[in-house]
Amino acid sequence: MFTRTDLAFTSHGITCKGYLYRPAEAKGPVPCVIMGHGFAATRECGIAPFAEAFANAGYAAFVFDYRHFGASDGQPRQLLVPSREVQDWLCAIAFVRQLDGIRPDAIALWGTSFGGGLVTVAAALDGNVQAIIAQCPMMDGLASALEVIRYAGIAHVLKLSAHGAVDITRALLGMSPHYIASAGRPGEVAAMTAADCYDGYLALVPEGVPNTVAARVSSTLMTFRPVTQAHKVTCPALIQICEKDTVAPVAAAEKAAKKIKHAEVRRYDMGHFDIYQGANREKSVADQLAFLLKTFSR
């Protein structure tokens, strides 16, 4: 009931690649949901079912990889810089708006986990998207760092900072990055080490997608605070909160939702990674489709 095409656009001189899903029987231009994943993840990491659901419901969906990740270009690899990923979102929006068969006045942004914070900032900066969906969103890097201190201890955060310093030093010397794991077990050196992170994250990562990120990310995450930009989001927003979230603090998502004038909050009795699988995913998708139908019917 849909087609999928590889497309590419340029973000600040670097080629980013994405899949465009189109409903097979569209009789004219359709709304489009632009989709990006979370922390160090790619378009291959468990979000295809969401895109397929949108396409089967009559929407286009454009799922892209950020610079330095997945199918997109950019050296060094696995380099996560939040401000650059926001730029990638803005370039993806501009690209999709000019595609044939897409309604430029009916664009929704869909971000999950870290991507939920990214779409909040992108919507605030663009000012002309029609909707955002933020699934289990990371809305405050400072709050996330404090949560890591709570469950892993200050020594763990200091260790991550030390690895970050090594990576920054190597970059200044023109050397290859120093990497840490994106997700690890409790006690391991990794960006995410809560009890459910390793199994939950790896369940989304297919063979060939590295579970690594350049360690310098530890120096930028605390300053990435989408909650401070949330009041600038003027379009309808669906904020989906996992109440047992160990990665994206619930309080930060609630705070961001309160700042968005037209926010709709849905809550789920599950952990951060549960929402990508089985019946939990179906519930999330159903709420997303209901939100899109209501938004684009206005």
Side-chain angles (χ1 to χ4, degrees):
M1 297 177 66
F2 60 85
T3 61
R4 194 186 80 176
T5 308
D6 274 289
L7 295 179
F9 64 96
T10 300
S11 178
H12 297 264
I14 297 176
T15 299
C16 293
K17 296 181 180 179
Y19 294 135
L20 179 65
Y21 294 77
R22 290 182 186 267
E25 298 182 1
K27 300 187 183 305
V30 296
C32 185
V33 183
I34 306 175
M35 305 176 65
H37 217 310
F39 189 90
T42 75
R43 62 183 182 176
E44 308 295 349
C45 296
I47 59 174
F50 295 90
E52 292 169 4
F54 296 145
N56 284 331
Y59 305 103
F62 182 64
V63 188
F64 73 97
D65 283 337
Y66 306 112
R67 283 178 276 175
H68 306 284
F69 290 93
S72 293
D73 293 344
Q75 294 292 334
R77 304 304 294 165
Q78 304 300 112
L79 176 62
L80 196 163
V81 181
S83 60
R84 293 185 187 177
E85 294 195 346
V86 170
Q87 292 173 347
D88 295 344
W89 272 102
L90 296 175
C91 291
I93 294 167
F95 171 71
V96 168
R97 281 185 176 137
Q98 54 81 42
L99 289 176
D100 290 339
I102 301 299
R103 285 180 51 191
D105 63 341
I107 301 296
L109 309 185
W110 183 101
T112 189
S113 189
F114 194 76
L118 293 171
V119 298
T120 301
V121 178
L125 292 174
D126 178 82
N128 198 34
V129 298
Q130 282 62 56
I132 65 171
I133 296 171
Q135 178 179 263
C136 55
M138 197 292 287
M139 289 293 196
D140 189 344
L142 177 59
S144 292
L146 293 174
E147 178 65 11
V148 172
I149 292 173
R150 186 194 66 77
Y151 71 69
I154 187 66
H156 179 76
V157 173
L158 293 175
K159 188 182 296 184
L160 291 179
S161 297
H163 281 271
V166 170
D167 188 34
I168 291 170
T169 301
R170 290 180 64 88
L172 291 172
L173 295 174
M175 302 171 67
S176 60
H178 170 63
Y179 294 104
I180 59 174
S182 299
R185 297 182 176 88
E188 296 180 344
V189 176
M192 298 178 286
T193 59
D196 61 340
C197 286
Y198 183 81
D199 290 337
Y201 190 84
L202 269 292
L204 301 175
V205 177
E207 185 176 353
V209 176
N211 175 31
T212 57
V213 64
R216 72 195 75 170
V217 71
S218 63
S219 68
T220 60
L221 277 184
M222 283 191 293
T223 62
F224 182 62
R225 307 189 67 198
V227 66
T228 65
Q229 302 294 312
H231 68 285
K232 299 178 184 177
V233 176
T234 58
C235 64
L238 175 62
I239 310 299
Q240 297 178 289
I241 297 175
C242 294
E243 294 186 325
K244 297 177 181 177
D245 205 314
T246 62
V247 175
V250 169
E254 292 173 334
K255 185 177 180 179
K258 289 178 181 178
K259 291 186 173 186
I260 298 174
K261 185 176 181 179
H262 303 292
E264 176 181 323
V265 177
R266 289 287 179 269
R267 298 175 180 274
Y268 308 90
D269 184 25
M270 64 184 74
H272 186 83
F273 297 99
D274 298 327
I275 204 164
Y276 299 98
Q277 309 288 353
N280 293 328
R281 181 180 65 217
E282 291 177 9
K283 173 59 177 171
S284 178
V285 168
D287 288 342
Q288 292 170 12
L289 290 173
F291 169 75
L292 290 174
L293 179 62
K294 179 168 55 178
T295 298
F296 289 130
S297 296
R298 287 188 172 117

